[in-house]
């Protein structure tokens, strides 16, 4: 056995920031907006050159030899220079993100909708990746051939050199070809993050924010369809893609174009990870143009949940371990075990997430923390974060737990927070989501050039694109057909085409692919996934507005008018009743009468709804406000049980009724408050993905007129 | 040479959170506040038991043997279990922080001022530390004796075991006694963070927030004194303490009580790191009780700057390397080199911090980012973070850079932000500061029991306490005497006593001590510093209110009335003029006429103030608002040049004058706006440390009446 060691050093970069700023200041021009744009362009150039500069400086350094007498100092120096290198690497990313932000502003300023910020971040990542790979000189690391004998790979290693002890931590296994790379390309390795960073640091805020900003009204209205797409659809997609890819690799093996092993489980794994959609671009455009709320809800809900399903599904597939040898044969026991793991992990994560949300709701309900917004916000943040850690510590999946925690927090805890804390928490997670998302997409662009074990195989790539396309179609169309049998508010075919088109891949696919790139199969999957993400984000994302126009999907829909709008087909109104009567009404009643009074300050008081035997418990749990506040001023799901005809919904003393035209006849001031609250509540919570909130003016959406049905 | 390897595993903890919540729900009681308090107590018990549970579960695990055939799986398993362990450890801290938050709320609810949140966090850390050390069963790690030959300690190591390569990263050097500890106490090691976490992750938000929330008016008014205390005072303190400690260790060596080497440079190092004051407790109480603003400014300004000085000073002392041997002898060249390093690092960090602040100001001025608060906030955050990374990459000190960046941002960039972004950035950094600070203080308490190389030496401890006391006195009293020769608004003796008393040590001292604990000397310093921090925070912090009363320092001072209040001694008024005439006026004019118009939208327009040759540049730099807005509505430093007699300050068309009684005679609506802006501006920015903002009511400060002079 041999122990090889190597190391490299870096010199210190000199900041050119101040010098470049002077360049910027001496420019002269006229007109504010023109000046701003020109300044911006210059700033972009400045920042890119700064990135290059830092990269060059950080990379250009000769390797050093040390004598044993200077060993102590050299170890400290090595640690210090390693730290400086890490700072420089992170700085490159910060500058990338800053560039992205400035360019986003420029795009918004010019109302440029064909390139969304995630696509833009990828482009910048690509540019920097090219620079780092082909422009920056890279030092060759020294390798010390040594001899060492160990029985197995310990987690921590103690090296005893001349009486001094040095501690080493196990990073992980390195494949043979990567060993050679390690010795060559130090710079590229340094800008490569440990894949677990994505799952432990970057994805949780994104997923939590998705759950926290779920547009509850329309989500719950379409809950059945969303669950169908997310669960059944993802599994269908996974297996269809897996089968198609298996056919593809079999063909490749037959033609001798396959460079390594690629088993059926690998195909299924690929199917699972590429089934996770991330239509952040599309949703942002939908939000901006105010596209039909049901379409938005379906797409958003599906993407949010199928991320969770894809994560657990891929873990279950990886856990498929038949007894005995490693030949990936079919074995019923192993299959059942995988299935059990899927169900176990998903439900465990779900429970933990919901449990933490419930605990937070109770804490915020029973304490007067709302008087201290800082404490309240801090507590909220900590408890949400603890969900992730708790799930990970228990062996479940943290991102799934935070998703359901976010949904629970939005549904219950949010109502207990003070208004300032509501704003603060929303803004905090909005910011974290924005930063994390753009970071991941920048990194995606960078990885195309910095990852050193790419396997680009044309047949596989073509096969993958076809499989993804077919898989998406097999997900959307059959399920829509089935769902439309049950739905009255049918999912129209243009919606289906839009959903088909909007199957963008993004952060989750990338993170799942990069998690393990040890084998040939995984490397090929990773390289192909990158291309899939690039294509869908740039082409499908960029073509969204055209697609909307092409499919004649109406825009400029005011989500608040949805309820009072007259429907062309009276039966659609009844559909809401039908649908809400079956799935939603059960949930709504339970939630409205029991869960909300327990976890928030809303009524009806538990003392009236619970049986007398639970009297003391009911009194303990019921908030004083629940007795006063019989009007559900903040309950913005209640409108879902409004039906046509002579229905009425009683809120204490106020009667709110609708007639067949859908117009509201309000019984008083409170009903107007109710409407305002409902409108306000939804409008605030419609955020998903990034904020493309343009200041609204009259020249807004160019599609509004001819697309309105 | 030998290579020893060891590892340990952990089983999965089962969350008892849901079960315990059920316990909580079944309690019955009457009255909201009583119920809330009882619930809280129960919750505290729950959370502590949860901590114990997690600790026990995470620690209890047998070591495992693997066969070579299962090696691949076992490596993955080890990585996975290590990850779960890390999640569990972090979860313990999150729960600690949650506990702290809930107890803080309880204290505020009961107006309990004797234990501040930092002291409380330390107590909780102590409790958990005791539990982890003495209650939790710890597994013994397996050690594999091996043979390995390497020439020097490489940064990264490749282990070749049976054809598989495993990558190891160098953590650092381990001292001999720690080696034995490593094999024994796995659990305690796991909850020990890499000290660089403090400097790279936890301290920057704290320091930035301190700079960003500096109360500008009073800071600049007392700028000379603050700089004197921070620079001169810290150096005095460092040397006095160093000398006294040298005497102490010499005595110890003479008596045979010294267990290892302790050189003069070590004494100086101790002096430097213990000179960093952190009176967060005192300042919070000052803010709550609204103590005299000058005292607040002096204490706050001193603490903020002396952290920066202490960091650089300690690095310079460590860098003192005489040529040849390692005997810590005096050598002029080495001394000059250290001095040069001090000046170089400090000014370099200062420049970088200010430069980044300036760049951010220019970017926010020249773009219309203020229309998009998310983008604006994200940019602000990223640019502030980039300061730290840039300074670290350049070999300077990141925390010093972020301090000055924060001050610059508060002074210039803040004015360019939209009102929403102003709130968002303030709240964001307030939250980060709160979390980071309480995390560090919890960790301090924990470290008392989890750190395995404590060296408690009674003589040294006693000597250190005396030295710290004397050092503080030598800092405050002589300098105050000297400053009072120049100041007209003299620093009264009761203020001096208060400043002497309020020399609490905290996060910076701890972080600097824990950074390097390899040698006997450093370990003894670390242990002693812990005790110093504990004592000062609990005793001095807790006794602040008594001290205020004892020293008859007035409370309930409205900072806005300061300017219009009549002074008992008319000469004090003139002192402002004198002082502002000399140091401040120069700065103020330069800032007001040149810097602010360049970096913000305020006037006067540069076209009027710059010479005609710079015409194009002036036109480029001058914002349109500067032409319109000749009234300095947002300039809250202007009042500092108000003097008595028949002075007047012209703001465009408005004349604001004061007469000898100090009453304002305003010339119109705009002057009222000005006063409101000044008052508003200061009041908002008075935050330092943690938020002890109690809802103000009439029963507030009990000292107000008899303490008012």
């Amino acid at each position: 056995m041999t122990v090889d060691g190597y190391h490299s050093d870096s010199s210190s970069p000199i900041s050119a920031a101040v010098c470049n700023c002077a360049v910027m200041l001496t420019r002269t021009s006229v007109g504010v907006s023109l000046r701003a744009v020109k300044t911006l362009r210059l700033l972009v150039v400045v920042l890119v050159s700064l990135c290059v500069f830092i990269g060059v400086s950080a990379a250009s350094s000769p390797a050093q030899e040390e004598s044993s007498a200077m060993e102590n100092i050299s170890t400290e120096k090595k640690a210090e220079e390693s730290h400086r290198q890490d700072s420089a690497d992170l700085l490159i990313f910060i500058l990338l993100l800053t560039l992205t932000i400035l360019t986003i502003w420029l795009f918004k300023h010019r109302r440029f909708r064909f390139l969304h910020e995630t696509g833009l971040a990828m482009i910048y990542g690509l540019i920097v990746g090219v620079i780092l790979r082909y422009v920056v000189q890279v030092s060759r690391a020294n390798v010390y051939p040594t001899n060492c004998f160990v029985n197995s790979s310990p987690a921590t290693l103690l090296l005893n050199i001349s009486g001094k002890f040095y501690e080493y931590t196990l990073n992980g296994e390195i494949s043979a070809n990567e060993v050679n790379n390690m010795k060559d390309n130090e710079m590229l390795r340094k800008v490569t993050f440990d894949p677990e960073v994505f799952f432990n640091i970057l994805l949780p805020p994104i997923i939590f924010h998705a759950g926290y900003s779920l547009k509850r009204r329309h989500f719950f209205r379409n809950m059945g369809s969303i669950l169908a797409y997310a669960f059944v659809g993802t599994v269908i997609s996974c297996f269809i893609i897996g089968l198609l890819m298996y056919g593809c690799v079999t063909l490749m093996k037959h033609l001798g174009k396959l460079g390594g092993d690629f088993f059926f489980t690998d195909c299924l794994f690929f199917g699972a990870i590429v089934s996770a959609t991330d239509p952040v671009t599309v949703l942002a455009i939908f939000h901006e143009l105010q596209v039909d709320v049901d379409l938005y809800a379906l797409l958003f809900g599906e993407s949010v949940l199928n991320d969770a399903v894809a994560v657990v599904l891929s873990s279950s597939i990886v856990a498929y371990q038949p007894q005995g040898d490693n030949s990936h044969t079919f074995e019923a026991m192993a299959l059942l075990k995988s299935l059990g793991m899927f169900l176990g992990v998903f439900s465990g994560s779900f429970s933990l997430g919901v449990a933490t949300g419930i605990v937070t709701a109770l804490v915020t309900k029973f304490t007067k923390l709302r008087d201290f917004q800082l404490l309240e916000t801090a507590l909220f943040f900590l408890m949400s974060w603890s969900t992730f850690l708790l799930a990970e510590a228990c062996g479940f999946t943290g991102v799934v737990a935070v998703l359901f925690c976010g949904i629970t927090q939005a549904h219950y805890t949010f109502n207990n927070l003070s208004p300032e804390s509501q704003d603060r928490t929303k803004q905090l997670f909005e910011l974290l989501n924005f930063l994390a998302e753009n970071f991941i997409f920048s990194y995606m662009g960078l990885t195309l050039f910095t990852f050193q074990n790419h396997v680009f195989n044309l047949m596989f790539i073509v096969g993958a694109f076809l499989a993804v396309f077919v898989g998406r179609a097999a997900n959307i169309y059959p399920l829509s057909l089935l769902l439309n049998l049950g739905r009255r508010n049918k999912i129209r075919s243009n919606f289906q085409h839009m959903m088909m088109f909007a199957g963008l891949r993004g952060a989750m696919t990338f993170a799942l692919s990069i998690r393990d790139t040890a084998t040939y199969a995984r490397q090929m999957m990773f390289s192909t996934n990158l291309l899939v993400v690039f294509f869908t984000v740039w082409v499908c994302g960029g073509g969204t507005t055209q697609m909307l126009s092409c499919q004649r999907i109406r825009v400029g829909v005011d989500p608040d008018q949805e309820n009072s709008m007259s429907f062309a087909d009276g039966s659609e109104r009844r559909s809401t009743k039908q649908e809400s009567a079956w799935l939603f009404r059960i949930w709504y009643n339970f939630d409205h009468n029991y869960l909300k009074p327990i976890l928030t300050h809303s009524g009806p008081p538990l003392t009236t709804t619970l049986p007398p035997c639970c009297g003391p418990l009911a009194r303990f749990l019921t908030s004083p406000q629940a007795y006063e506040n019989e009007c559900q001023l903040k309950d913005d799901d209640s409108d879902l049980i409004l039906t046509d005809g002579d229905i009425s919904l009683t809120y204490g003393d106020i009667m709110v009724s609708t007639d067949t035209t859908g117009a509201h006849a309000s019984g008083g001031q409170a009903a107007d408050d109710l409407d305002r609250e409902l409108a306000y509540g939804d409008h605030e919570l419609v955020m998903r993905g990034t904020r493309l909130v343009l200041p609204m003016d009259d020249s807004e959406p160019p599609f509004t007129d001819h697309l309105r049905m």
Side-chain angles (χ1 to χ4, degrees), chain A:
Chain A
M1 277 170 246
T2 54
V3 171
D4 300 323
Y6 68 96
H7 57 94
S8 68
D9 307 295
S10 58
S11 61
S12 68
I14 304 165
S15 165
V18 180
C19 310
N20 283 327
C21 279
V23 169
M24 185 174 85
L25 284 173
T26 53
R27 287 212 49 181
T28 60
S29 61
V30 291
V32 177
S33 64
L34 184 60
R35 175 174 61 182
V37 169
K38 287 187 179 179
T39 311
L40 194 64
R41 282 189 202 148
L42 188 61
L43 194 63
V44 167
V45 170
V46 161
L47 285 171
V48 172
S49 47
L50 199 62
C51 284
V52 178
F53 192 89
I54 290 173
V56 170
S57 312
S60 58
S61 52
Q64 293 176 6
E65 298 274 345
E66 297 96 14
S67 68
S68 55
M70 297 280 283
E71 244 173 45
N72 205 5
I73 299 165
S74 73
T75 309
E76 281 181 27
K77 264 193 123 173
K78 256 179 289 200
E80 186 198 318
E81 297 209 2
S82 166
H83 168 70
R84 281 164 63 167
Q85 178 72 50
D86 291 338
S87 301
D89 296 334
L90 207 47
L91 191 59
I92 291 176
F93 282 100
I94 301 291
L95 291 176
L96 263 179
L97 284 177
T98 309
L99 259 179
T100 308
I101 289 176
L102 292 172
T103 318
I104 291 168
W105 170 77
L106 193 63
F107 282 7
K108 290 188 185 192
H109 202 62
R110 299 286 182 93
R111 303 213 193 293
F112 184 72
R113 277 200 201 93
F114 299 101
L115 187 60
H116 188 251
E117 51 207 64
T118 48
L120 180 70
M122 287 200 301
I123 290 178
Y124 280 133
L126 277 177
I127 294 173
V128 177
V130 168
I131 293 169
L132 285 180
R133 180 146 188 164
Y134 299 116
V135 174
V136 169
Q137 292 295 328
V138 166
S139 61
R140 292 188 69 89
N142 287 333
V143 179
Y144 294 107
T146 48
N147 292 320
C148 195
F149 300 96
V150 287
N151 291 331
S152 70
S153 59
T156 316
L157 202 65
L158 273 181
L159 260 182
N160 183 346
I161 304 171
S162 310
K164 290 188 186 297
F165 291 90
Y166 296 93
E167 186 191 7
Y168 288 82
T169 318
L170 174 64
N171 278 350
E173 192 187 338
I174 309 288
S175 62
N177 49 358
E178 214 175 305
V179 169
N180 295 323
N181 291 331
M182 280 170 76
K183 298 169 193 170
D184 285 346
N185 234 329
E186 200 50 30
M187 182 67 201
L188 296 185
R189 269 179 46 76
K190 284 184 191 298
V191 291
T192 307
F193 286 93
D194 177 10
E196 290 306 311
V197 162
F198 295 103
F199 280 92
N200 294 342
I201 300 176
L202 293 174
L203 279 180
I206 296 175
I207 304 291
F208 182 87
H209 179 260
Y212 194 52
S213 63
L214 207 59
K215 192 172 165 61
R216 288 175 276 154
R217 181 203 300 181
H218 300 288
F219 176 77
F220 283 115
R221 185 160 77 182
N222 293 290
M223 188 154 72
S225 312
I226 289 169
L227 289 177
Y229 284 126
F231 283 85
V232 182
T234 307
V235 173
I236 291 174
S237 170
C238 167
F239 277 90
I240 296 286
I241 293 176
L243 285 166
L244 286 170
M245 291 316 293
Y246 189 61
C248 179
V249 300
T250 311
L251 180 64
M252 284 166 63
K253 197 185 281 187
H254 193 69
L255 294 174
K257 287 191 180 290
L258 198 66
D261 289 329
F262 207 106
F263 302 108
F264 182 62
T265 43
D266 293 318
C267 298
L268 277 184
F269 181 79
F270 180 76
I273 64 179
V274 88
S275 298
T277 60
D278 188 13
V280 58
T281 307
V282 174
L283 290 171
I285 294 175
F286 279 12
H287 172 65
E288 215 183 295
L289 298 178
Q290 292 193 314
V291 164
D292 187 275
V293 286
D294 277 324
L295 180 60
Y296 187 99
L298 285 172
L299 206 56
F300 180 33
E302 182 213 1
S303 80
V304 152
L305 284 177
N306 79 7
D307 282 356
V309 174
V311 171
V312 186
L313 190 59
S314 58
S315 309
S316 311
I317 291 170
V318 166
Y320 178 82
Q321 301 279 356
Q323 293 289 342
D325 56 5
N326 218 11
S327 65
H328 301 264
T329 52
F330 175 78
E331 197 184 284
M333 274 309 293
L335 186 70
L336 280 177
K337 197 172 155 207
S338 281
L339 184 67
M341 182 181 162
F342 175 84
L343 293 171
V345 169
F346 200 92
S347 47
S349 309
F350 172 85
S351 312
L352 277 179
V354 170
T356 321
I358 286 175
V359 168
T360 317
L362 289 168
V363 169
T364 49
K365 177 182 175 180
F366 284 112
T367 62
K368 279 209 164 67
L369 269 174
R370 50 186 306 144
D371 294 333
F372 307 102
Q373 286 86 37
L374 175 65
L375 294 185
E376 205 176 21
T377 312
L379 186 87
F380 185 93
F381 175 77
L382 287 174
M383 300 219 66
S384 305
W385 186 13
S386 73
T387 315
F388 177 81
L389 296 171
L390 192 59
E392 289 288 317
C394 293
F396 297 123
T397 308
V399 288
V400 179
V402 294
L403 170 64
F404 292 105
C405 179
I407 295 175
T408 315
Q409 305 272 42
H411 200 53
Y412 300 110
T413 314
F414 189 80
N415 302 319
N416 296 340
L417 300 177
S418 60
E420 293 83 11
S421 294
Q422 289 176 349
D423 287 337
R424 284 196 195 200
T425 51
K426 273 192 296 187
Q427 288 159 10
L428 174 69
F429 285 107
E430 190 183 53
L431 179 71
L432 292 178
N433 171 68
F434 177 81
L435 292 174
E437 206 164 51
N438 285 293
F439 186 96
I440 290 187
F441 279 90
S442 304
Y443 190 75
M444 267 191 239
L446 195 80
T447 321
L448 189 67
F449 292 102
T450 61
F451 186 73
Q452 301 181 62
N453 294 315
H454 276 302
V455 177
F456 290 110
N457 187 312
L458 187 61
M459 272 195 73
F460 188 86
I461 291 168
V462 170
F465 271 80
L466 281 174
V468 165
F469 182 83
V470 173
R472 184 72 180 160
N475 174 359
I476 297 295
Y477 295 112
L479 274 181
S480 304
L481 200 73
L482 284 171
L483 288 169
N484 278 342
L485 296 177
R487 286 173 71 109
R488 293 303 177 93
N489 184 20
K490 298 197 188 304
I491 303 167
R492 292 185 287 268
S493 58
N494 59 351
F495 276 24
Q496 295 178 34
H497 297 322
M498 194 65 220
M499 285 182 74
M500 169 75 199
F501 185 80
L504 275 58
R505 270 59 174 181
M508 184 56 84
T509 303
F510 174 76
L512 286 170
S513 324
I514 204 174
R515 203 173 207 182
D516 176 10
T517 49
T519 67
Y520 170 85
R522 295 292 170 86
Q523 287 158 10
M524 193 154 70
M525 281 193 249
F526 174 70
S527 310
T528 310
N529 273 332
L530 266 187
L531 296 179
V532 170
V533 172
F534 289 160
F535 178 83
T536 53
V537 171
W538 285 332
V539 175
C540 299
T544 303
T545 38
Q546 274 75 12
M547 190 65 177
L548 280 173
S549 141
C550 177
Q551 293 297 325
R552 301 192 185 285
I553 293 173
R554 61 182 180 169
V555 292
V557 174
D558 185 356
D560 316 319
Q561 286 174 8
E562 268 292 285
N563 297 319
S564 53
M565 229 163 61
S566 53
F567 280 80
D569 178 8
S571 66
E572 290 196 63
R573 214 43 172 128
R574 244 173 279 121
S575 73
T576 317
K577 178 181 181 182
Q578 285 292 96
E579 194 172 341
S580 58
W582 175 67
L583 181 68
F584 183 74
R585 194 180 277 275
I586 298 169
W587 161 253
Y588 178 77
N589 285 330
F590 179 65
D591 185 43
H592 176 78
N593 292 325
Y594 297 101
L595 290 182
K596 281 235 166 129
I598 291 176
L599 299 175
T600 68
H601 297 290
S602 70
L606 285 162
T607 43
T608 57
T609 49
L610 286 179
C613 57
C614 302
L617 176 62
R619 274 195 301 278
F620 174 74
L621 290 173
T622 308
S623 167
Q625 286 102 302
Y627 294 107
E628 306 155 10
N629 187 17
E630 298 261 5
C631 311
Q632 303 313 321
L633 284 179
K634 285 200 167 48
D635 194 340
D636 56 345
D637 296 325
S638 59
D639 66 308
L640 280 157
I641 63 169
L642 291 175
T643 58
D644 62 353
D646 56 345
I647 52 90
S648 63
L649 187 69
T650 307
Y651 296 91
D653 303 331
I654 318 294
M655 294 281 290
V656 179
S657 7
T658 67
D659 53 23
T660 44
T661 63
H664 281 285
S666 59
Q669 179 64 18
D672 294 328
D673 292 336
L674 172 64
D675 287 338
R676 265 208 311 280
E677 283 292 344
L678 290 175
Y680 178 79
D682 282 328
H683 195 66
E684 281 299 303
L685 284 172
V686 78
M687 318 293 176
R688 159 70 176 110
T690 46
R691 301 287 85 69
L692 279 195
V693 178
L694 290 169
M696 301 300 291
D697 59 23
D698 293 332
S699 61
E700 246 313 278
F703 303 98
T704 316
D705 298 289
H706 68 268
L707 281 185
R708 206 177 273 280
M709 286 172 63

